């Protein structure tokens, strides 16, 4: 889904809303960074905080740039960061992995 949006509509930022619990906080962070890197796009990842029944949610929301660098993060606060369309374009021009896709192999 992400790759189609990037290649067909030139999307440069994704908003991801989720509810990852504490035992998997590191998974949430790693997967959000992976989405940014593999799609050469910003990822604005928002995660739930607090408790629901016996499950605690970890927060750990983040803004990640197209290189996979976390430019803003926190557990339970509003975060913000400047995003740059020029950085997205620059990363995509320097690392042309999107141009080397083999759609014939997966449909």
């Amino acid at each position: 889904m992400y790759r189609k949006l990037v290649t067909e509509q030139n999307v440069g930022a994704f908003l991801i809303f989720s509810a990852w619990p504490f035992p998997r906080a590191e998974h949430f962070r790693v997967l959000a960074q992976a989405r940014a890197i593999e799609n050469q796009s910003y990822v604005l990842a928002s995660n739930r905080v607090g408790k629901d029944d016996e499950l605690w949610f970890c927060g750990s929301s983040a803004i990640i740039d197209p290189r996979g660098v976390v430019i803003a993060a926190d557990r339970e606060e509003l975060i913000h960061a400047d995003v740059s369309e020029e950085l997205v374009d620059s990363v995509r021009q320097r690392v042309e992995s999107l141009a080397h896709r083999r759609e014939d192999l997966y449909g």
Side-chain angles (χ1 to χ4, degrees):
M1 173 180 73
Y2 296 101
R3 189 58 53 90
K4 268 183 101 72
L5 289 168
V6 168
T7 58
E8 294 178 9
Q9 297 182 32
N10 198 31
V11 170
F14 293 99
L15 300 174
I16 299 173
F17 304 95
S18 55
W20 286 73
F22 265 108
R24 298 184 64 205
E26 184 66 10
H27 295 166
F28 175 70
R29 185 191 63 76
V30 168
L31 291 171
Q33 284 183 282
R35 291 297 81 74
I37 294 166
E38 72 189 4
N39 293 295
Q40 300 172 327
S41 300
Y42 284 94
V43 168
L44 292 77
S46 175
N47 193 47
R48 181 179 175 188
V49 296
K51 185 178 181 202
D52 190 359
D53 293 325
E54 297 302 313
L55 200 54
W56 283 93
F57 296 92
C58 58
S60 301
S61 297
I63 301 173
I64 304 159
D65 81 9
R67 301 165 296 187
V69 176
V70 177
I71 57 175
D74 211 315
R75 293 188 88 115
E76 297 184 30
E77 293 183 14
L78 179 65
I79 59 175
H80 61 88
D82 293 328
V83 297
S84 164
E85 188 174 351
E86 290 78 22
L87 179 60
V88 172
D89 293 341
S90 173
V91 169
R92 290 180 182 174
Q93 288 171 8
R94 284 182 292 142
V95 182
E96 297 182 8
S97 60
L98 297 172
H100 300 288
R101 297 178 326 121
R102 292 281 313 270
E103 290 186 66
D104 59 307
L105 296 176
Y106 56 85

